[in-house]
Amino acid sequence: SASASASAAADAQRGVGAVVAPPPKDGHVVPRLGARLPVAAYRDTTWPQGCHQVLGLDMTDRIQRPGAQVVAMFRQPEDRLVSAYFHMRDLLRKPRPKGVRGLPRLEWPQSPVGCCWKDWGWEPSVFVRVHKDVAAAVPPERALARFTGCMTNMVLGYGCMSQHATSPADARRAVEQRLRHFLFVGDQGQWNMSLCLFNAIMTGRRFVLPRQLANSRPTSTKLLDPANPAGSAIATRDPIDGELWNYVQRRFRRDVRRHGVSPECCPVTSDPTALPQLGPSGCTRYPLQRRPHAP
């Protein structure tokens, strides 16, 4: 994925594409980064493999080669699970396709609810059980908390909800073999700063495009019962993705300092080519036009 047309031009000159690896409910990063680069030749664009595609099992060597560009936006693990729950609930409330009653038919070549089946790493039997729970308003803590290690799974090459990763050691392996070689690691909870950092890495200019601030996947609510907010939480910690998340936070803070990214140095503009290319030691300060937020 890339940012503005300026970044596309820069990468085209280098003859290097970029790969984006977004876990489910991590902000649908490709459209809002403004993807302009060619899709990698090995990427599968069929459903379900092409939706929420994992970083392939054969990618360990590829991403360590000079010129490799893999970018990803990450999210606080428990917040991501809660968001996934309410996203599924919203989809299950949408009208079924004509002639379909009850739960979707598993032999359909495409998920009738639009996502959250094989593309999330679930086997059909697990998919049906989880979606029955979500449709019946079983709280997120009971419906989803056992599906830990989503981001670790995807970095290693397995489906988000596959439960392939079983311990923090898997997260450490994901970091050492793959994640530390990523060109960009973003924090969805610091959206504006992450986008500015991404643009700085890809173009040499610190800015945010207006379209990068659009919330293209708003969830109607994050509460089952407004009178009982705790009933909509996932209190169980995710020790696997928690280990990965700790690395993401350290790496993000380091890269922000390295590239001189701050709210004051990141104007929202539709014409980034008019901005000077400056080193991280200084920047033109702009008024903060929109505070960082988590879509």
Side-chain angles (χ1 to χ4, degrees):
S1 169
S3 175
S5 57
S7 69
D11 285 338
Q13 290 174 0
R14 293 196 296 268
V16 177
V19 178
V20 65
K25 297 307 297 167
D26 273 29
H28 286 74
V29 68
V30 178
R32 280 183 284 165
L33 287 181
R36 291 284 193 272
L37 293 182
V39 175
Y42 64 84
R43 182 179 174 90
D44 191 339
T45 58
T46 63
W47 190 93
Q49 290 80 11
C51 184
H52 297 300
Q53 185 168 0
V54 303
L55 194 60
L57 292 170
D58 62 342
M59 284 294 292
T60 299
D61 292 334
R62 292 187 182 189
I63 65 176
Q64 297 181 28
R65 296 173 185 170
Q69 299 188 75
V70 183
V71 302
M73 190 76 78
F74 293 87
R75 189 172 188 175
Q76 199 278 338
E78 290 76 31
D79 184 49
R80 190 202 59 75
L81 265 178
V82 170
S83 183
Y85 175 92
F86 284 100
H87 180 63
M88 286 189 291
R89 191 190 66 161
D90 282 357
L91 289 174
L92 288 166
R93 289 180 171 180
K94 290 183 177 180
R96 287 284 183 271
K98 187 177 180 180
V100 177
R101 295 181 180 179
L103 286 170
R105 292 168 51 192
L106 297 183
E107 63 267 28
W108 279 31
Q110 180 172 324
S111 168
V113 297
C115 89
C116 326
W117 179 17
K118 288 184 178 180
D119 54 323
W120 281 19
W122 275 319
E123 292 299 320
S125 60
V126 180
F127 158 81
V128 170
R129 184 169 67 253
V130 171
H131 279 65
K132 279 184 177 179
D133 287 345
V134 174
V138 172
E141 175 74 17
R142 288 167 48 200
L144 286 185
R146 65 188 181 277
F147 295 101
T148 56
C150 164
M151 296 184 292
T152 300
N153 288 331
M154 296 189 73
V155 171
L156 288 173
Y158 299 89
C160 166
M161 302 295 195
S162 66
Q163 296 180 296
H164 173 81
T166 58
S167 75
D170 292 310
R172 292 190 289 272
R173 178 163 58 91
V175 169
E176 179 62 27
Q177 295 181 356
R178 296 184 166 203
L179 187 52
R180 71 185 184 92
H181 300 286
F182 281 25
L183 178 68
F184 161 80
V185 170
D187 175 355
Q188 199 244 14
Q190 300 188 64
W191 185 261
N192 290 31
M193 292 280 283
S194 294
L195 269 293
C196 185
L197 174 63
F198 174 84
N199 293 336
I201 291 173
M202 299 298 288
T203 73
R205 294 182 172 92
R206 293 181 286 266
F207 64 91
V208 178
L209 297 171
R211 68 171 178 269
Q212 293 175 323
L213 299 176
N215 188 352
S216 64
R217 295 293 193 278
T219 306
S220 59
T221 180
K222 292 290 181 68
L223 294 175
L224 286 173
D225 179 5
N228 180 28
S232 301
I234 289 182
T236 305
R237 298 296 93 182
D238 184 339
I240 302 171
D241 270 356
E243 184 81 13
L244 192 88
W245 180 246
N246 288 337
Y247 168 81
V248 167
Q249 292 291 286
R250 294 193 302 271
R251 163 77 182 271
F252 180 74
R253 290 193 294 267
R254 183 199 73 186
D255 289 352
V256 162
R257 291 193 299 269
R258 177 177 294 175
H259 293 276
V261 169
S262 68
E264 296 80 11
C265 296
C266 298
V268 178
T269 176
S270 298
D271 185 16
T273 59
L275 299 174
Q277 288 188 307
L278 298 172
S281 59
C283 73
T284 303
R285 293 189 171 270
Y286 304 89
L288 184 59
Q289 301 182 38
R290 189 177 298 194
R291 292 188 177 277
H293 66 285

